[in-house]
Amino acid sequence: MSSISPFVAIRRDLHKIPELGFQEFKTQQYLLRYIHALPQERLEIQTWKTGIFVKVKGTAPRKMIGYRTDIDGLPIKEETGLPYSSEHEGNMHACGHDVHMSIALGLLTHFAEHPIQDDLLFIFQPAEEGPGGAKPMLESEIMKVWKPDMILALHIAPEYPVGTIATKEGLLFANTSELFIDLKGKGGHAAFPHLANDMVVAACSLVTQLQSIVARNVDPLDSAVITIGKISGGTVQNVIAEHARLEGTIRTLSVDSMKKVKERIEAMVSGIKMAYQCEAEIDYGSMYHQVYNDPELTTEFIQFAENYQGIRFIRCKEAMTGEDFGYMLAEIPGFMFWLGVDSPYGLHHAKLTPNEAAIDQGISFLISYITWKGNN
């Protein structure tokens, strides 16, 4: 059996223990055990809820460079069949956060032993998948003291081969919002529909209407998505449903379009209330700010990647993906980039299998970039 690198082994350990947002207790303990075993001379460690801040003091700091990784998993039942599959039934690292953490620990290990001129701040952030950890972490007292001058993060990309890095200046990921709509009418016997108020019919009508928003209310040169991924209503087949619930997501490439889409949703729900004489409530759940890469820093990073031996750089297009790292980028100049992991299955898939060769390659590349940036 061939040996694996320490950080691939760490990834497999973490892959076994996926935990949902703000429940990452085992994950935090694992990370802290590892971090406390590193040379401590230049480290300052602070915990925040289930997250962790680690400051690495530079040799002659002029600025602080932040590096963020997310640490939570998803409520997905794993179907990879791997020997290190999730031991937490119904949860899985199906978005690559286990890879993200192992790369962050690789970087932290190097810089704890080989400090650069500038200070570094490693942020192990909970709840990226929901309800959102970036914004409250950014607003924490710790980050008010340790606010980086620039910040970066990566996200695995199953569609790109190992050895590929992709990003672009400006907008990279969309504005996103969850969408929950509850309709309440009057239940009754299926044989007497005139004495009831059917919320299944109301919900079906609303779903159809919602699909007209992107087609008729969003600038064709802009982009937006409204997806209703789940409908629930009623109890049995011969009882008219008193309650129905729609669950979905909104994604837009501009803040203005998000505002307009929500205004139209609210207008349509008001119309449903009148037309079907029912009650209705809208909950937007978690909302994520767009990921907008600082043009100057991103251009500089792209030039570095293009000249780095063994890396293929791709200037990608913006995506409808959501990422709460956007809140950090709204306050701190920086960027996010894709790291190719060459998996036949995509993000949030029960069979996602990143190529682990990307871990050590990502560590080596980022050590070079951060060393260069932190000494110049």
Side-chain angles (χ1 to χ4, degrees), residues 5 8 99 102-103 154 156-157 160-165 311 339-342 354-366:
S5 82
V8 170
V99 175
S102 61
I103 291 173
L154 66 82
I156 66 163
Y160 291 133
V162 172
T164 304
I165 281 173
I311 287 293
L339 177 71
V341 295
D342 195 21
N355 186 328
E356 293 173 325
I359 294 172
D360 289 324
Q361 193 168 58
I363 292 169
S364 296
F365 170 75
L366 281 168

mmCIF file of all heavy atoms in Angstrom, residues 5 8 99 102-103 154 156-157 160-165 311 339-342 354-366:
data_model
loop_
_atom_site.group_PDB
_atom_site.id
_atom_site.type_symbol
_atom_site.label_atom_id
_atom_site.label_comp_id
_atom_site.label_asym_id
_atom_site.label_seq_id
_atom_site.Cartn_x
_atom_site.Cartn_y
_atom_site.Cartn_z
ATOM 1 N N SER A 5 0.406 11.507 1.855
ATOM 2 C CA SER A 5 0.991 12.656 2.535
ATOM 3 C C SER A 5 0.225 12.941 3.829
ATOM 4 O O SER A 5 -0.947 12.566 3.972
ATOM 5 C CB SER A 5 0.954 13.883 1.632
ATOM 6 O OG SER A 5 -0.313 14.508 1.689
ATOM 7 N N VAL A 8 -3.142 14.715 3.146
ATOM 8 C CA VAL A 8 -4.168 13.829 2.588
ATOM 9 C C VAL A 8 -4.760 12.995 3.718
ATOM 10 O O VAL A 8 -5.979 12.798 3.793
ATOM 11 C CB VAL A 8 -3.586 12.933 1.479
ATOM 12 C CG1 VAL A 8 -4.581 11.843 1.080
ATOM 13 C CG2 VAL A 8 -3.212 13.777 0.255
ATOM 14 N N VAL A 99 -11.135 19.173 2.118
ATOM 15 C CA VAL A 99 -9.952 19.522 1.317
ATOM 16 C C VAL A 99 -9.479 20.925 1.680
ATOM 17 O O VAL A 99 -8.284 21.175 1.871
ATOM 18 C CB VAL A 99 -10.258 19.430 -0.194
ATOM 19 C CG1 VAL A 99 -9.068 19.911 -1.015
ATOM 20 C CG2 VAL A 99 -10.632 17.997 -0.569
ATOM 21 N N SER A 102 -7.615 20.868 5.048
ATOM 22 C CA SER A 102 -6.297 20.223 5.013
ATOM 23 C C SER A 102 -5.273 21.123 4.333
ATOM 24 O O SER A 102 -4.111 21.189 4.764
ATOM 25 C CB SER A 102 -6.381 18.863 4.302
ATOM 26 O OG SER A 102 -6.808 18.999 2.973
ATOM 27 N N ILE A 103 -5.682 21.870 3.313
ATOM 28 C CA ILE A 103 -4.782 22.824 2.667
ATOM 29 C C ILE A 103 -4.433 23.950 3.641
ATOM 30 O O ILE A 103 -3.265 24.349 3.755
ATOM 31 C CB ILE A 103 -5.403 23.375 1.365
ATOM 32 C CG1 ILE A 103 -5.458 22.260 0.298
ATOM 33 C CG2 ILE A 103 -4.620 24.586 0.847
ATOM 34 C CD1 ILE A 103 -6.191 22.642 -0.967
ATOM 35 N N LEU A 154 -9.927 29.744 -1.283
ATOM 36 C CA LEU A 154 -10.107 28.928 -2.481
ATOM 37 C C LEU A 154 -11.354 28.082 -2.330
ATOM 38 O O LEU A 154 -11.875 27.890 -1.240
ATOM 39 C CB LEU A 154 -8.894 28.027 -2.739
ATOM 40 C CG LEU A 154 -8.554 26.912 -1.747
ATOM 41 C CD1 LEU A 154 -9.389 25.641 -1.962
ATOM 42 C CD2 LEU A 154 -7.074 26.544 -1.851
ATOM 43 N N ILE A 156 -12.757 24.243 -4.113
ATOM 44 C CA ILE A 156 -12.468 23.181 -5.072
ATOM 45 C C ILE A 156 -13.416 23.272 -6.261
ATOM 46 O O ILE A 156 -14.564 23.708 -6.142
ATOM 47 C CB ILE A 156 -12.539 21.785 -4.438
ATOM 48 C CG1 ILE A 156 -13.971 21.439 -3.990
ATOM 49 C CG2 ILE A 156 -11.545 21.640 -3.304
ATOM 50 C CD1 ILE A 156 -14.193 19.952 -3.740
ATOM 51 N N ALA A 157 -12.925 22.840 -7.425
ATOM 52 C CA ALA A 157 -13.709 22.838 -8.657
ATOM 53 C C ALA A 157 -13.636 21.445 -9.278
ATOM 54 O O ALA A 157 -12.625 21.088 -9.887
ATOM 55 C CB ALA A 157 -13.183 23.887 -9.632
ATOM 56 N N TYR A 160 -12.572 21.053 -13.128
ATOM 57 C CA TYR A 160 -11.230 21.372 -13.631
ATOM 58 C C TYR A 160 -10.238 20.284 -13.241
ATOM 59 O O TYR A 160 -10.302 19.733 -12.138
ATOM 60 C CB TYR A 160 -10.741 22.705 -13.061
ATOM 61 C CG TYR A 160 -11.469 23.922 -13.576
ATOM 62 C CD1 TYR A 160 -11.920 24.904 -12.688
ATOM 63 C CD2 TYR A 160 -11.713 24.104 -14.930
ATOM 64 C CE1 TYR A 160 -12.590 26.034 -13.140
ATOM 65 C CE2 TYR A 160 -12.391 25.219 -15.389
ATOM 66 C CZ TYR A 160 -12.822 26.188 -14.489
ATOM 67 O OH TYR A 160 -13.491 27.300 -14.937
ATOM 68 N N PRO A 161 -9.267 19.990 -14.103
ATOM 69 C CA PRO A 161 -8.242 18.995 -13.765
ATOM 70 C C PRO A 161 -7.348 19.470 -12.625
ATOM 71 O O PRO A 161 -7.217 20.673 -12.373
ATOM 72 C CB PRO A 161 -7.429 18.873 -15.067
ATOM 73 C CG PRO A 161 -8.251 19.489 -16.134
ATOM 74 C CD PRO A 161 -9.110 20.515 -15.468
ATOM 75 N N VAL A 162 -6.746 18.520 -11.929
ATOM 76 C CA VAL A 162 -5.741 18.848 -10.921
ATOM 77 C C VAL A 162 -4.620 19.623 -11.593
ATOM 78 O O VAL A 162 -4.216 19.312 -12.712
ATOM 79 C CB VAL A 162 -5.190 17.563 -10.270
ATOM 80 C CG1 VAL A 162 -4.003 17.883 -9.369
ATOM 81 C CG2 VAL A 162 -6.279 16.861 -9.474
ATOM 82 N N GLY A 163 -4.138 20.646 -10.919
ATOM 83 C CA GLY A 163 -3.107 21.501 -11.504
ATOM 84 C C GLY A 163 -3.669 22.750 -12.147
ATOM 85 O O GLY A 163 -2.931 23.555 -12.705
ATOM 86 N N THR A 164 -4.990 22.924 -12.040
ATOM 87 C CA THR A 164 -5.664 24.082 -12.628
ATOM 88 C C THR A 164 -6.106 25.049 -11.541
ATOM 89 O O THR A 164 -6.635 24.635 -10.510
ATOM 90 C CB THR A 164 -6.906 23.649 -13.432
ATOM 91 O OG1 THR A 164 -6.524 22.695 -14.410
ATOM 92 C CG2 THR A 164 -7.565 24.839 -14.106
ATOM 93 N N ILE A 165 -5.875 26.318 -11.812
ATOM 94 C CA ILE A 165 -6.404 27.390 -10.965
ATOM 95 C C ILE A 165 -7.205 28.313 -11.865
ATOM 96 O O ILE A 165 -6.775 28.632 -12.978
ATOM 97 C CB ILE A 165 -5.266 28.143 -10.252
ATOM 98 C CG1 ILE A 165 -4.795 27.316 -9.048
ATOM 99 C CG2 ILE A 165 -5.699 29.532 -9.802
ATOM 100 C CD1 ILE A 165 -3.586 27.866 -8.366
ATOM 101 N N ILE A 311 1.380 24.912 -12.932
ATOM 102 C CA ILE A 311 -0.001 25.356 -12.777
ATOM 103 C C ILE A 311 -0.539 25.820 -14.121
ATOM 104 O O ILE A 311 0.135 26.549 -14.854
ATOM 105 C CB ILE A 311 -0.110 26.505 -11.752
ATOM 106 C CG1 ILE A 311 0.086 25.988 -10.324
ATOM 107 C CG2 ILE A 311 -1.451 27.237 -11.858
ATOM 108 C CD1 ILE A 311 -1.011 25.073 -9.823
ATOM 109 N N LEU A 339 -9.851 25.771 -7.374
ATOM 110 C CA LEU A 339 -8.738 24.826 -7.443
ATOM 111 C C LEU A 339 -9.274 23.522 -8.033
ATOM 112 O O LEU A 339 -10.167 22.894 -7.464
ATOM 113 C CB LEU A 339 -8.166 24.559 -6.045
ATOM 114 C CG LEU A 339 -7.030 23.534 -5.964
ATOM 115 C CD1 LEU A 339 -5.743 24.108 -6.571
ATOM 116 C CD2 LEU A 339 -6.796 23.104 -4.515
ATOM 117 N N GLY A 340 -8.725 23.112 -9.178
ATOM 118 C CA GLY A 340 -9.200 21.911 -9.839
ATOM 119 C C GLY A 340 -8.953 20.649 -9.045
ATOM 120 O O GLY A 340 -7.849 20.445 -8.533
ATOM 121 N N VAL A 341 -9.995 19.795 -8.946
ATOM 122 C CA VAL A 341 -9.848 18.513 -8.236
ATOM 123 C C VAL A 341 -10.354 17.329 -9.061
ATOM 124 O O VAL A 341 -10.369 16.199 -8.597
ATOM 125 C CB VAL A 341 -10.560 18.535 -6.854
ATOM 126 C CG1 VAL A 341 -9.901 19.544 -5.921
ATOM 127 C CG2 VAL A 341 -12.049 18.818 -7.004
ATOM 128 N N ASP A 342 -10.810 17.600 -10.292
ATOM 129 C CA ASP A 342 -11.052 16.539 -11.270
ATOM 130 C C ASP A 342 -11.934 15.409 -10.735
ATOM 131 O O ASP A 342 -11.519 14.247 -10.690
ATOM 132 C CB ASP A 342 -9.699 15.978 -11.741
ATOM 133 C CG ASP A 342 -9.840 15.129 -13.009
ATOM 134 O OD1 ASP A 342 -10.838 15.301 -13.717
ATOM 135 O OD2 ASP A 342 -8.956 14.300 -13.259
ATOM 136 N N PRO A 354 -13.050 14.228 -4.758
ATOM 137 C CA PRO A 354 -11.944 15.072 -5.228
ATOM 138 C C PRO A 354 -10.657 14.257 -5.372
ATOM 139 O O PRO A 354 -10.384 13.357 -4.565
ATOM 140 C CB PRO A 354 -11.799 16.121 -4.125
ATOM 141 C CG PRO A 354 -13.083 16.084 -3.367
ATOM 142 C CD PRO A 354 -13.584 14.687 -3.467
ATOM 143 N N ASN A 355 -9.887 14.580 -6.384
ATOM 144 C CA ASN A 355 -8.561 13.974 -6.535
ATOM 145 C C ASN A 355 -7.650 14.589 -5.479
ATOM 146 O O ASN A 355 -7.365 15.783 -5.505
ATOM 147 C CB ASN A 355 -8.023 14.248 -7.942
ATOM 148 C CG ASN A 355 -6.709 13.536 -8.214
ATOM 149 O OD1 ASN A 355 -5.905 13.335 -7.306
ATOM 150 N ND2 ASN A 355 -6.479 13.172 -9.469
ATOM 151 N N GLU A 356 -7.161 13.748 -4.570
ATOM 152 C CA GLU A 356 -6.399 14.248 -3.427
ATOM 153 C C GLU A 356 -5.026 14.789 -3.807
ATOM 154 O O GLU A 356 -4.378 15.457 -2.991
ATOM 155 C CB GLU A 356 -6.260 13.142 -2.385
ATOM 156 C CG GLU A 356 -7.597 12.777 -1.746
ATOM 157 C CD GLU A 356 -7.511 11.573 -0.822
ATOM 158 O OE1 GLU A 356 -6.729 10.645 -1.119
ATOM 159 O OE2 GLU A 356 -8.221 11.555 0.197
ATOM 160 N N ALA A 357 -4.585 14.550 -5.029
ATOM 161 C CA ALA A 357 -3.312 15.125 -5.478
ATOM 162 C C ALA A 357 -3.361 16.645 -5.455
ATOM 163 O O ALA A 357 -2.323 17.318 -5.383
ATOM 164 C CB ALA A 357 -2.970 14.628 -6.879
ATOM 165 N N ALA A 358 -4.583 17.200 -5.516
ATOM 166 C CA ALA A 358 -4.729 18.661 -5.500
ATOM 167 C C ALA A 358 -4.332 19.270 -4.166
ATOM 168 O O ALA A 358 -4.000 20.454 -4.098
ATOM 169 C CB ALA A 358 -6.173 19.038 -5.837
ATOM 170 N N ILE A 359 -4.356 18.481 -3.100
ATOM 171 C CA ILE A 359 -4.088 19.023 -1.767
ATOM 172 C C ILE A 359 -2.649 19.513 -1.651
ATOM 173 O O ILE A 359 -2.395 20.682 -1.345
ATOM 174 C CB ILE A 359 -4.418 17.978 -0.680
ATOM 175 C CG1 ILE A 359 -5.924 17.712 -0.662
ATOM 176 C CG2 ILE A 359 -3.927 18.456 0.687
ATOM 177 C CD1 ILE A 359 -6.352 16.569 0.241
ATOM 178 N N ASP A 360 -1.688 18.620 -1.879
ATOM 179 C CA ASP A 360 -0.276 19.018 -1.748
ATOM 180 C C ASP A 360 0.115 20.034 -2.805
ATOM 181 O O ASP A 360 0.938 20.919 -2.551
ATOM 182 C CB ASP A 360 0.621 17.783 -1.808
ATOM 183 C CG ASP A 360 0.502 16.931 -0.549
ATOM 184 O OD1 ASP A 360 0.347 17.511 0.540
ATOM 185 O OD2 ASP A 360 0.541 15.697 -0.648
ATOM 186 N N GLN A 361 -0.488 19.907 -3.995
ATOM 187 C CA GLN A 361 -0.185 20.882 -5.042
ATOM 188 C C GLN A 361 -0.703 22.267 -4.657
ATOM 189 O O GLN A 361 -0.023 23.280 -4.849
ATOM 190 C CB GLN A 361 -0.799 20.433 -6.365
ATOM 191 C CG GLN A 361 -0.276 21.218 -7.560
ATOM 192 C CD GLN A 361 -0.671 20.571 -8.863
ATOM 193 O OE1 GLN A 361 -1.843 20.382 -9.125
ATOM 194 N NE2 GLN A 361 0.306 20.241 -9.696
ATOM 195 N N GLY A 362 -1.926 22.302 -4.082
ATOM 196 C CA GLY A 362 -2.483 23.576 -3.637
ATOM 197 C C GLY A 362 -1.669 24.190 -2.516
ATOM 198 O O GLY A 362 -1.438 25.407 -2.490
ATOM 199 N N ILE A 363 -1.192 23.355 -1.598
ATOM 200 C CA ILE A 363 -0.352 23.848 -0.498
ATOM 201 C C ILE A 363 0.935 24.462 -1.040
ATOM 202 O O ILE A 363 1.323 25.578 -0.662
ATOM 203 C CB ILE A 363 -0.041 22.713 0.501
ATOM 204 C CG1 ILE A 363 -1.312 22.287 1.236
ATOM 205 C CG2 ILE A 363 1.035 23.149 1.504
ATOM 206 C CD1 ILE A 363 -1.173 21.003 2.038
ATOM 207 N N SER A 364 1.605 23.742 -1.928
ATOM 208 C CA SER A 364 2.882 24.238 -2.483
ATOM 209 C C SER A 364 2.697 25.555 -3.214
ATOM 210 O O SER A 364 3.486 26.497 -3.040
ATOM 211 C CB SER A 364 3.479 23.197 -3.432
ATOM 212 O OG SER A 364 3.815 22.026 -2.736
ATOM 213 N N PHE A 365 1.645 25.621 -4.026
ATOM 214 C CA PHE A 365 1.391 26.846 -4.788
ATOM 215 C C PHE A 365 1.126 28.018 -3.852
ATOM 216 O O PHE A 365 1.687 29.116 -4.004
ATOM 217 C CB PHE A 365 0.204 26.644 -5.728
ATOM 218 C CG PHE A 365 -0.276 27.926 -6.362
ATOM 219 C CD1 PHE A 365 0.432 28.519 -7.390
ATOM 220 C CD2 PHE A 365 -1.426 28.551 -5.902
ATOM 221 C CE1 PHE A 365 -0.002 29.717 -7.953
ATOM 222 C CE2 PHE A 365 -1.872 29.736 -6.457
ATOM 223 C CZ PHE A 365 -1.154 30.320 -7.491
ATOM 224 N N LEU A 366 0.285 27.809 -2.846
ATOM 225 C CA LEU A 366 -0.079 28.912 -1.950
ATOM 226 C C LEU A 366 1.055 29.304 -1.014
ATOM 227 O O LEU A 366 1.178 30.480 -0.656
ATOM 228 C CB LEU A 366 -1.330 28.547 -1.152
ATOM 229 C CG LEU A 366 -2.635 28.693 -1.943
ATOM 230 C CD1 LEU A 366 -3.798 28.042 -1.222
ATOM 231 C CD2 LEU A 366 -2.940 30.167 -2.238
#
